[in-house]
Amino acid sequence: MLRINMIRMGFLMGIALLLAAIFYLFAANWSGLSSSHKMLTSGGFVLFFYVLSFGFSRSKLPLGLSAFLSGILLIAGCIAFGAAAALADQIYNLHQPPYVICLISTLPSLLLAWITRYKPLYVLTYILAHFTLYFLFDYRLFTPNVEMNTLLADSTFVAFNLALFLLAQTKRLASEIVRLASFVMLHISLLNLAGAFDHAGLSLFMNVLDIAVIATCFYYFMRIRLDKTMLTLTALAASAYTVAKFIRFSLETESVFRFVLGILFVIVLLTANVLFFRYMNKLGNKTTAAERTTESVKESASEAAQQSVNTTAEKTTDHHLLGSIVSTVITIVGIIIGSISVIGLVVLLTDENGPLKTQYALYALSLLFIVPMLLLPRVNAVVRYTVFTVGFAMGLVSIAWIGKAPLSVIFLAIAVISWLRLQGRMQHLITYMLMNIAAAIVLYQLFQNMRDAYSIIIISLTVLNAVVYGSSFAGLNGERRAHMREGSLLFSYIFLLWMTSLDPVFAYSVVLFNVLAFILLTAAVFLFIKREQTLETAGSFFFWLLFLTIKYYDYLWTLLNKSVTLALLGIVALGLSYWFASRLLKSGGHYEGSDKPGFFIGNRVWLIAIVVLLQLGFIGYETAANERIPSANNDATALAAPANDAVGTATISAARSSDSNAG
């Protein structure tokens, strides 16, 4: 299974490289090809991906590789068609609005999703549809009035996402991702409506509507149909609404009262956060007890029943993970508001005594917040980490403001001690981030007068995080070692990508940093797959894709050279992956059976073929129609030339006749 995952990742990276090469080739608008040849090339790419998708659906690769590759290539064909539609607009200067291109890309994706029932296509269609709606209302086609356009746009988003959510909730649309995404977008649109209008009556109605929807969601998912995932997202929506209303209210109040109100608001927000998730845990305990009873009764049941129990357990784990994420997000928002409120209050109270007093007051107050929380581990976790992080925020502001390296080094040492004293993955990650900020401040204060100080700081932080990651293998044990690796790896990637955008530090430094980043990120993906570290693999692949995206805007190479380079790398990656898959098959790998892709079966093949032919027909029509326009213009110019000459001759003759008559 380990080798299968590595082969899948190789294929995925190869296809991603080929898609990036296609986009770069189209963006380069290479003059070596005529406009018609460019369009035919784009159509060839579209057909290439669809033919490969069909071919892999009929192949016999081990352990589901055929289904995996067939589905990925089907998505690649949809994306390539969208690129071809954008290319036609670029080549022929059609100046079509973005929503037209997005709509053209959405329609075949929607048809293929309906035909194949392939869940990733649902997600692609959902994303493209939202881009279409966004650009449609961004052009204000229906009304030039800003408020009315906002009302139409967000109301459309609300209706669209509500319909999708109801379809997914009633299992008529089999996509959990679309169900969750539509629920989140529904509340985002309602929140925007609740704060977008100055008209008192309209604003009141929208706020009442948002509150009513949130209350209905709480009641439905708590009393009628228990769903802890939806309850957690509803709690996030309620928190977002409360925070948005507080920010708007605080901006309209006097300064001192604003900061006092901010501190009180944070206390209420975090208290509600703690109480809600305690209640959620009680609901979870009741559900878990019921599940245990069911499991004990059905101990000797069939394997299908056991798989159902395992699925329920996985969903429970997902609920706990989502609850932890939402609770952390709410806590972080409270920390930000609390930090701003405390810092603003201190600045206002000490401003009359001069800025020096304020700087040292913040520094001292930060220590008063941090040190007791380190010495009192039995304090409620949310309260402890909130006070601790607010203290750190004040401390970072104070050391950056004071500008003295010894005080900054002391604060960095406190950050290191704090990391060693605290418990929990998220707490360690946040503290590690604060350590990096403190270290950046120290490095700036040490190197600020040197040449290329900015580049030196980024390179130093990259090396420092890489050293911390390496030392984790020989240092701490257990949970702390894992958390140190995760934090240091994350910030190593962040600063490594940052290095690729630095100005030249020495000869060929830009080329060196870019090549080094690509090699390290690619090697990291396969290394973590080999070690079966899922989180690290996903993170490395994300930064690998992010690197390719960022380099689109980099001028290290021309777009055409990038396209050729990425295409070659993609072909190499696909070739090596296929070679390894063939070797695995020859060495005794199992053929896939029931997991063959179900969308190239029976009449679906012909329906997919019709959609593909429509896409190719659109590309051909755009090419033929727009190629006729220049030739028609040339013919009209040629016909107009003799007529213009005749008019000119007649005008000259008339002028001469007039002159002779006058004589």
Side-chain angles (χ1 to χ4, degrees):
M1 197 61 198
L2 172 62
R3 286 181 291 175
I4 289 295
N5 288 333
M6 294 185 70
I7 291 170
R8 285 186 176 185
M9 186 59 67
F11 277 120
L12 187 59
M13 295 175 82
I15 293 170
L17 286 167
L18 284 180
L19 281 174
I22 292 171
F23 279 112
Y24 290 171
L25 176 65
F26 292 167
N29 204 2
W30 185 32
S31 58
L33 290 174
S34 65
S35 56
S36 59
H37 287 145
K38 291 175 186 176
M39 290 302 301
L40 292 175
T41 302
S42 67
F45 280 127
V46 173
L47 185 62
F48 170 74
F49 283 120
Y50 285 127
V51 169
L52 278 183
S53 176
F54 178 78
F56 276 113
S57 72
R58 294 294 189 267
S59 66
K60 293 183 178 180
L61 293 177
L63 295 174
L65 277 175
S66 295
F68 172 77
L69 285 173
S70 182
I72 293 297
L73 288 165
L74 193 67
I75 294 175
C78 289
I79 296 174
F81 173 72
L87 177 67
D89 182 75
Q90 176 190 13
I91 290 176
Y92 298 114
N93 295 319
L94 302 178
H95 302 294
Q96 291 178 336
Y99 67 84
V100 174
I101 298 174
C102 289
L103 179 62
I104 292 170
S105 305
T106 303
L107 291 176
S109 177
L110 176 62
L111 290 173
L112 289 174
W114 174 70
I115 294 169
T116 63
R117 301 295 193 269
Y118 186 46
K119 293 180 181 178
L121 275 175
Y122 287 150
V123 178
L124 178 63
T125 305
Y126 180 82
I127 295 171
L128 290 174
H130 275 75
F131 275 116
T132 303
L133 290 175
Y134 171 79
F135 287 121
L136 177 65
F137 287 102
D138 188 54
Y139 269 73
R140 299 182 189 174
L141 294 179
F142 305 105
T143 173
N145 185 276
V146 176
E147 283 199 349
M148 186 58 66
N149 188 72
T150 302
L151 178 62
L152 287 173
D154 285 303
S155 299
T156 304
F157 275 106
V158 167
F160 180 66
N161 283 283
L162 179 60
L164 287 178
F165 173 73
L166 293 176
L167 288 173
Q169 183 69 18
T170 55
K171 307 300 181 184
R172 296 179 183 177
L173 180 63
S175 177
E176 182 67 10
I177 296 178
V178 171
R179 184 175 82 105
L180 297 177
S182 59
F183 187 78
V184 172
M185 283 301 301
L186 170 66
H187 284 285
I188 290 175
S189 302
L190 286 171
L191 181 61
N192 193 40
L193 283 172
F197 305 104
D198 295 325
H199 188 275
L202 190 58
S203 179
L204 177 62
F205 174 77
M206 292 302 173
N207 279 274
V208 171
L209 176 64
D210 197 359
I211 294 172
V213 171
I214 292 173
T216 303
C217 291
F218 271 124
Y219 179 78
Y220 181 82
F221 294 117
M222 193 179 296
R223 298 294 182 185
I224 298 178
R225 185 173 181 177
L226 180 62
D227 191 327
K228 290 180 284 184
T229 299
M230 292 294 110
L231 268 180
T232 304
L233 291 176
T234 305
L236 181 61
S239 301
Y241 177 83
T242 308
V243 170
K245 294 296 122 181
F246 164 75
I247 292 174
R248 182 162 185 173
F249 177 75
S250 64
L251 293 176
E252 298 172 355
T253 58
E254 296 296 330
S255 55
V256 177
F257 180 67
R258 176 194 310 169
F259 297 129
V260 175
L261 185 65
I263 296 172
L264 295 175
F265 174 78
V266 170
I267 294 172
V268 173
L269 178 67
L270 297 181
T271 302
N273 181 30
V274 172
L275 294 177
F276 174 78
F277 283 102
R278 279 183 183 175
Y279 177 74
M280 285 282 292
N281 290 334
K282 291 179 181 179
L283 287 176
N285 292 335
K286 292 177 182 178
T287 307
T288 304
E291 288 168 359
R292 286 175 184 167
T293 305
T294 306
E295 189 177 344
S296 63
V297 171
K298 296 183 178 181
E299 257 181 2
S300 58
S302 63
E303 184 180 347
Q306 186 61 39
Q307 289 177 353
S308 177
V309 172
N310 293 337
T311 304
T312 304
E314 289 176 3
K315 287 183 178 179
T316 304
T317 304
D318 293 340
H319 297 155
H320 285 302
L321 177 61
L322 180 62
S324 300
I325 293 172
V326 171
S327 180
T328 303
V329 169
I330 295 172
T331 304
I332 290 173
V333 172
I335 287 169
I336 293 172
I337 295 174
S339 302
I340 295 172
S341 301
V342 173
I343 293 172
L345 193 60
V346 171
V347 170
L348 283 176
L349 294 177
T350 60
D351 186 51
E352 295 179 357
N353 298 321
L356 191 61
K357 295 283 186 179
T358 304
Q359 297 165 9
Y360 284 98
L362 277 176
Y363 190 85
L365 192 60
S366 69
L367 298 181
L368 289 176
F369 272 55
I370 295 171
V371 175
M373 294 301 103
L374 294 178
L375 300 177
L376 300 172
R378 294 185 180 180
V379 178
N380 179 274
V382 175
V383 175
R384 185 186 183 204
Y385 293 127
T386 301
V387 174
F388 170 81
T389 311
V390 170
F392 246 100
M394 289 190 294
L396 292 173
V397 171
S398 66
I399 62 174
W401 198 353
I402 294 171
K404 293 186 178 180
L407 291 177
S408 302
V409 171
I410 293 172
F411 198 80
L412 177 59
I414 293 173
V416 175
I417 296 170
S418 302
W419 191 93
L420 295 172
R421 291 277 299 173
L422 297 178
Q423 301 288 336
R425 168 181 282 174
M426 189 56 63
Q427 290 78 13
H428 276 152
L429 182 61
I430 292 174
T431 308
Y432 193 85
M433 177 188 68
L434 298 173
M435 287 167 53
N436 272 273
I437 297 174
I441 293 172
V442 172
L443 290 173
Y444 174 77
Q445 291 168 352
L446 293 175
F447 300 138
Q448 59 181 324
N449 296 323
M450 293 181 60
R451 183 187 175 188
D452 297 323
Y454 173 75
S455 300
I456 292 173
I457 292 170
I458 301 302
I459 296 171
S460 300
L461 289 171
T462 308
V463 174
L464 184 62
N465 280 279
V467 170
V468 172
Y469 179 77
S471 65
S472 66
F473 290 89
L476 300 171
N477 293 318
E479 185 184 71
R480 280 195 175 88
R481 169 185 282 189
H483 295 169
M484 179 182 285
R485 287 179 184 174
E486 291 172 0
S488 57
L489 183 67
L490 172 63
F491 284 93
S492 294
Y493 285 161
I494 291 173
F495 289 117
L496 181 64
L497 287 185
W498 205 332
M499 278 177 54
T500 62
S501 62
L502 295 176
D503 293 331
V505 181
F506 51 85
Y508 303 108
S509 65
V510 177
V511 177
L512 177 63
F513 292 158
N514 279 271
V515 172
L516 182 65
F518 182 80
I519 292 174
L520 290 177
L521 290 171
T522 306
V525 170
F526 290 101
L527 177 64
F528 289 126
I529 291 176
K530 185 177 181 181
R531 292 181 178 176
E532 298 183 348
Q533 294 174 265
T534 306
L535 182 64
E536 287 80 359
T537 301
S540 302
F541 186 62
F542 169 78
F543 278 97
W544 184 83
L545 288 176
L546 185 61
F547 173 81
L548 292 182
T549 304
I550 292 173
K551 291 303 107 182
Y552 177 86
Y553 299 98
D554 192 357
Y555 293 97
L556 178 63
W557 306 293
T558 64
L559 291 174
L560 184 60
N561 290 336
K562 285 181 184 179
S563 176
V564 174
T565 304
L566 291 175
L568 291 175
L569 290 173
I571 292 170
V572 170
L574 290 174
L576 289 175
S577 301
Y578 190 82
W579 180 69
F580 279 117
S582 302
R583 286 195 59 184
L584 182 60
L585 185 59
K586 291 178 182 178
S587 64
H590 298 286
Y591 287 94
E592 55 180 317
S594 60
D595 60 343
K596 270 190 172 297
F599 38 82
F600 280 107
I601 296 176
N603 292 330
R604 290 184 178 181
V605 178
W606 301 108
L607 292 175
I608 295 173
I610 291 172
V611 175
V612 174
L613 288 175
L614 288 174
Q615 289 176 307
L616 297 176
F618 172 81
I619 295 173
Y621 172 78
E622 284 288 313
T623 304
N626 288 288
E627 286 293 330
R628 286 199 196 102
I629 294 174
S631 60
N633 290 338
N634 292 334
D635 293 341
T637 303
L639 290 173
N644 291 336
D645 293 342
V647 170
T649 304
T651 304
I652 294 171
S653 300
R656 288 176 177 173
S657 175
S658 174
D659 291 341
S660 61
N661 291 333

